[in-house]
Amino acid sequence: MTRVVHDAPVWVRPEPIEPLFVTIPALVPGEGVGAGGDVGAGTGVGAGGDVGAGTVVGRAPFARRHRTALIVTAAIVTVLVVGAGFFVYTWNHSGPHELAGITAYQRFRSGATGLVADPGKLRPHEGVYSYTGSGNERVSLPPKSQVEGPRIPGTVSYRPDGCWVLRLDYSDSHWQNSTYCPRDGNLVEVARAGWYRWNFIALVIADTATFTCTPPEMAIPSRLVVGQRFAFACTGKNDPIDTGVVTMTGTNRYVGPETLRIGGRAVPTLHFREVATFGGGQTGTNVADTWFSTIDGLPVRGTWRTVVTSPTLVGASTLTGSGSFDLASLTPRT
């Protein structure tokens, strides 16, 4: 706030008032104001207030006001530039952050049911596993992208029906989970879900997609045949964004056995490739490769690529994403 100080009044001879940005014309060269007010060649103002020859009358007040206008304009432009720069910086740095392992562990412990379920060939130990990987997503409307990783906590939780859930937190703004059940020597996937949060500065949008597969999708069959395909069909919905019913259909193919090194240890795995198509409320495709441990059925490596178009109030928006995960340690934090 500007503070105005009122001093004692001092009488000064008033100057002629001139509108802002209006210039008083300069005298024609060689003409001044002579004695008694006559215009005379080569003179200034005569006796009783002489002004030197060639002096231009009325320019100084305009110059001061002109400089003031320039300063105000420059200040406004500076504010606009700084504001735009701040918005761009905030837009580019408002993306996701890594989810700390301790956060995932505290959530796991708070949700622990105390169920006693022995791990086995198709059921890994409960707890929080350490994964590394990345996620890259972009939405077309409004246009924005985000990058995730490299640390990705993976949480295995048991359910009362003997099934278990693997949740991968790619960041504090994106997770994916799958629900697996050991049945008759097979490992089947009965449900899956995914959650995204997008920060558009003035608006934050979060949405969860959930799918139920009936009959369940075959994850690991009891009898392995390289190249064999298993068809599946799942039905889903989004909340709170209402896209209507979404269908996901496709096949899961057994690529073959592979040995991976995890924490310096050779681990035999089974490689599967899933190709899915979305229909209904959302359209698009998803291709995912998963390597399951033959020891306990835990996914130890995975890659995925997805393109999904969803309706919005301002038009269709397409999510294009890809990601990967690799298990860093076979021992979870329990």
Side-chain angles (χ1 to χ4, degrees):
M1 177 180 294
T2 302
R3 182 179 181 182
V4 179
V5 180
H6 296 279
D7 295 325
V10 178
W11 175 258
V12 294
R13 181 179 180 181
E15 296 180 356
I17 298 176
E18 176 190 351
L20 186 62
F21 299 129
V22 176
T23 305
I24 296 179
L27 297 178
V28 176
E31 294 183 349
V33 180
D38 296 333
V39 177
T43 64
V45 177
D50 296 340
V51 177
T55 301
V56 178
V57 179
R59 298 292 292 177
F62 168 75
R64 287 195 297 270
R65 287 189 286 271
H66 186 60
R67 285 196 300 270
T68 301
L70 289 177
I71 292 172
V72 172
T73 301
I76 294 174
V77 172
T78 300
V79 170
L80 292 176
V81 170
V82 172
F86 177 76
F87 180 83
V88 171
Y89 177 85
T90 305
W91 180 273
N92 291 332
H93 292 79
S94 62
H97 304 86
E98 285 184 342
L99 185 75
I102 185 61
T103 302
Y105 179 71
Q106 290 172 346
R107 184 187 61 224
F108 164 72
R109 294 303 305 169
S110 65
T113 61
L115 296 172
V116 178
D118 294 330
K121 183 177 181 180
L122 297 177
R123 184 186 293 112
H125 284 274
E126 268 193 312
V128 179
Y129 291 81
S130 295
Y131 287 85
T132 60
S134 65
N136 298 272
E137 295 92 28
R138 182 183 184 279
V139 287
S140 61
L141 187 67
K144 188 167 187 178
S145 59
Q146 61 186 29
V147 179
E148 303 160 319
R151 289 183 289 272
I152 302 174
T155 305
V156 171
S157 303
Y158 289 161
R159 296 201 329 182
D161 57 2
C163 301
W164 52 276
V165 180
L166 172 63
R167 167 171 166 161
L168 294 170
D169 284 284
Y170 284 87
S171 70
D172 61 357
S173 297
H174 174 209
W175 55 257
Q176 298 177 7
N177 71 25
S178 295
T179 302
Y180 298 100
C181 301
R183 291 180 181 173
D184 301 324
N186 305 308
L187 184 67
V188 297
E189 185 175 359
V190 298
R192 65 179 67 180
W195 174 79
Y196 275 106
R197 178 177 59 197
W198 292 87
N199 187 348
F200 298 107
I201 310 303
L203 177 66
V204 177
I205 298 176
D207 186 63
T208 303
T210 56
F211 287 87
T212 301
C213 303
T214 305
E217 176 183 353
M218 182 65 72
I220 303 176
S222 57
R223 181 173 177 270
L224 295 168
V225 178
V226 174
Q228 187 175 8
R229 286 179 168 84
F230 302 90
F232 66 90
C234 307
T235 303
K237 63 178 181 178
N238 291 269
D239 184 56
I241 299 176
D242 185 8
T243 61
V245 176
V246 181
T247 61
M248 180 174 60
T249 58
T251 60
N252 194 24
R253 178 172 63 90
Y254 176 47
V255 179
E258 296 182 26
T259 300
L260 304 179
R261 297 201 65 83
I262 301 172
R265 177 181 173 183
V267 177
T269 69
L270 305 173
H271 180 189
F272 287 82
R273 175 168 297 160
E274 177 190 276
V275 178
T277 300
F278 297 97
Q282 293 176 304
T283 58
T285 60
N286 184 76
V287 179
D289 285 70
T290 306
W291 287 257
F292 294 88
S293 168
T294 60
I295 300 172
D296 53 14
L298 178 68
V300 297
R301 173 177 291 179
T303 64
W304 52 271
R305 303 185 305 278
T306 188
V307 178
V308 179
T309 300
S310 306
T312 71
L313 294 176
V314 291
S317 181
T318 300
L319 167 69
T320 304
S322 63
S324 65
F325 62 87
D326 282 277
L327 184 65
S329 173
L330 293 169
T331 304
R333 183 178 182 182
T334 59

